[in-house]
Amino acid sequence: MEPILLAYIGVACMTGMSFIGSAYGVTISGNAVVGAMKKNPNALGTYIALSALPSSQGLYGFVGYFMIQGFLVEGIPMLTASAILGAGLMMGFACLFSAIRQGQVCANGISAVGGGHNVFVPTMVMAVFPELYAILSLLVVILIGNALPA
């Protein structure tokens, strides 16, 4: 297999899985908004803030791509291509699951706000925890990119 193909598979995983995770996470929390609007339509701003949180993982995937795009050249060494593949898989899965689980946390908070409970801040705090792992995966991609030979 050509090394450049491995690298592009890594890029596809890095970006594609993070985008898919964000799409799922935003949809999960967005579904909760639809239900909560029936109970409490006055909290739309809170609902939007919480439902938008899982979209950030897709942005991390995009940033990860920019961090390694300089290595995507014909004649890329196999070691570099393998590192990009590994980084892409690691980041892709971290962002995928982080966004989905964050969407679920946000959906529960949205439902609670719709029910009249004042849980916006606690929900934001709890939603940050799954996000941390997406951020850490981006940092690992950056570190791997910095360790690769130019």
Side-chain angles (χ1 to χ4, degrees), residues 45-58:
T46 300
Y47 302 152
I48 290 172
L50 290 174
S51 65
L53 284 178
S55 65
S56 58
Q57 282 81 347

Side-chain angles (χ1 to χ4, degrees), residues 19-20 25 34 37 44 56 64-65 72 79 88 93 119 123 130 133 142 150:
F19 297 161
I20 291 167
V34 172
M37 285 294 292
L44 181 61
S56 58
Y65 164 74
L72 301 174
L79 181 61
F93 278 113
V119 294
T123 302
Y133 295 98
I142 293 169

Side-chain angles (χ1 to χ4, degrees), residues 32-119:
V33 169
V34 172
M37 285 294 292
K38 294 175 186 175
K39 295 179 182 177
N40 183 2
N42 297 325
L44 181 61
T46 300
Y47 302 152
I48 290 172
L50 290 174
S51 65
L53 284 178
S55 65
S56 58
Q57 282 81 347
L59 297 174
Y60 300 147
F62 197 59
V63 171
Y65 164 74
F66 278 108
M67 298 309 298
I68 56 96
Q69 77 175 16
F71 299 103
L72 301 174
V73 295
E74 193 64 37
I76 184 175
M78 181 59 95
L79 181 61
T80 301
S82 298
I84 292 170
L85 174 64
L89 285 168
M90 176 275 309
M91 185 174 188
F93 278 113
C95 287
L96 174 73
F97 290 117
S98 170
I100 290 170
R101 298 304 287 178
Q102 187 177 49
Q104 292 169 334
V105 169
C106 291
N108 285 325
I110 290 164
S111 295
V113 170
H117 302 284
N118 186 16
V119 294

Side-chain angles (χ1 to χ4, degrees), residues 110-143:
I110 290 164
S111 295
V113 170
H117 302 284
N118 186 16
V119 294
F120 175 71
V121 173
T123 302
M124 290 288 280
V125 170
M126 296 311 296
V128 167
F129 294 132
E131 177 109 15
L132 170 66
Y133 295 98
I135 294 169
L136 290 175
S137 72
L138 175 60
L139 292 176
V140 169
V141 168
I142 293 169
L143 292 172

